[in-house]
Amino acid sequence: MSSVVQYPAGSVQIFDDSETACEAAAGWIANRIRDAIRVRGRAVAGLATGRTPIRVYERLVARHRAGKLSFRDVITYNLDEYYPIRPLDPNSYRAYMDRHLFAHVDIPANRAHLLDGTVPEGFTDEHCAAFDRWIAADGGLDFQLLGLGRNGHIGFNEPCELGVEAMLALPTRLIPLHPTTTADAAADFGGHADRVPRHALTMGVAPILAARSILILAFGRNKAEAVAASLQGPITSAMPGSLLQTVSPKVTWFLDAESASTL
Ligand code: F6R
């Protein structure tokens, strides 16, 4: 591992490979959970899905099985969910979280929250506003785990032409998915981009950046351009990862050598 380097969008650690980075990420999360429980009696965790964190969850499950980490006092809020989608659909993020984490640890069922892909049309605003209120009522996120889209999205806050102030204020909401995101998700839907839901519910930029700390992971050569633009480029809504520059003291990036190759 290289030493910690300070960039405009946070402190960066580059690992030889994603395996080592995932082990470090699991350690980072376990420490955040223990610290929050010590101080407030519970930990409020913002979680991500996608390919990147799968091995992080594997390692958290291993720590739990070894008796080193309990989720009894952990409350979780996931970044996003496809819309519409049934929770039992294997491609739903609810199913992903059950498969990779919730089914294997001692988290109480009513503390693991995801946006609901079955909310009736016309009620998504109400549901998303309630989700933001639940996070606030739980005292805010102790930490948010993020991946980075190939197009620079965080959660499903896709690149857009909004002014930076307006982008920073975005709440949790229903959004149309960007074509790059749909193309990247096609593999999970049998290679058929047309089977990927066209919309998703996503935690907004505002609640993400309000987390007390943020760990963002990006692995592989295909993330290198978005990583470099987020860390070193201008703050712009066209590259949502760059918005992390506005809260850089609380942001940690764990990269592998490939995603860091153009820094
Ligand atoms: C997932 C999420 C997305 C992913 C991003 C990277 O909950 O919000 O922003 O983190 O699309 O996805 P992977 O890890 O599959 O490359």
Side-chain angles (χ1 to χ4, degrees):
M1 188 191 77
S2 71
S3 50
V4 180
V5 181
Q6 218 46 57
Y7 279 89
S11 73
V12 177
Q13 291 187 46
I14 302 166
F15 295 83
D16 292 338
D17 51 44
S18 58
E19 208 65 38
T20 334
C22 286
E23 177 58 33
W28 187 97
I29 291 171
N31 286 338
R32 283 295 175 294
I33 289 176
R34 285 194 204 100
D35 288 351
I37 291 174
R38 198 170 48 239
V39 175
R40 276 184 292 282
R42 60 188 183 173
V44 185
L47 299 180
T49 55
R51 264 161 233 120
T52 309
I54 290 178
R55 281 164 304 155
V56 178
Y57 294 136
E58 265 174 32
R59 283 164 173 74
L60 289 174
V61 169
R63 280 164 196 251
H64 172 70
R65 289 196 170 134
K68 293 181 184 153
L69 181 64
S70 170
F71 290 78
R72 224 179 18 247
D73 299 315
V74 178
I75 301 168
T76 65
Y77 288 94
N78 261 81
L79 281 170
D80 35 31
E81 179 61 285
Y82 289 117
Y83 186 84
I85 201 159
R86 282 183 293 272
L88 289 179
D89 186 315
N91 283 314
S92 77
Y93 286 158
R94 165 60 75 176
Y96 170 109
M97 288 307 300
D98 285 344
R99 197 159 59 235
H100 292 294
L101 185 66
F102 300 152
H104 311 290
V105 298
D106 56 347
I107 188 164
N110 65 349
R111 291 191 176 167
H113 309 295
L114 272 91
L115 289 153
D116 182 353
T118 70
V119 164
E121 267 176 77
F123 289 85
T124 52
D125 283 355
E126 201 173 297
H127 174 57
C128 290
F131 195 82
D132 284 344
R133 285 199 307 274
W134 299 345
I135 295 174
D138 275 329
L141 298 170
D142 286 302
F143 68 89
Q144 177 65 58
L145 176 65
L146 292 177
L148 185 68
R150 198 157 53 92
N151 64 3
H153 68 209
I154 51 173
F156 280 141
N157 295 285
E158 301 282 25
C160 65
E161 291 172 2
L162 281 178
V164 169
E165 288 308 315
M167 184 81 174
L168 289 173
L170 284 176
T172 299
R173 68 206 185 284
L174 178 69
I175 52 93
L177 288 170
H178 190 276
T180 309
T181 305
T182 312
D184 285 352
D188 296 331
F189 290 80
H192 299 283
D194 56 329
R195 291 191 193 154
V196 179
R198 286 285 168 274
H199 292 83
L201 303 168
T202 183
M203 205 186 275
V205 176
I208 291 174
L209 298 190
R212 289 184 192 92
S213 57
I214 295 174
L215 176 62
I216 176 160
L217 309 176
F219 307 140
R221 181 62 186 83
N222 68 347
K223 299 287 174 73
E225 275 71 33
V227 164
S230 298
L231 281 170
Q232 300 168 302
I235 300 176
T236 163
S237 304
M239 181 51 63
S242 70
L243 301 170
L244 294 168
Q245 294 183 31
T246 64
V247 292
S248 57
K250 60 183 179 183
V251 182
T252 302
W253 293 70
F254 284 178
L255 306 175
D256 66 355
E258 290 182 359
S259 67
S261 58
T262 60
L263 286 178

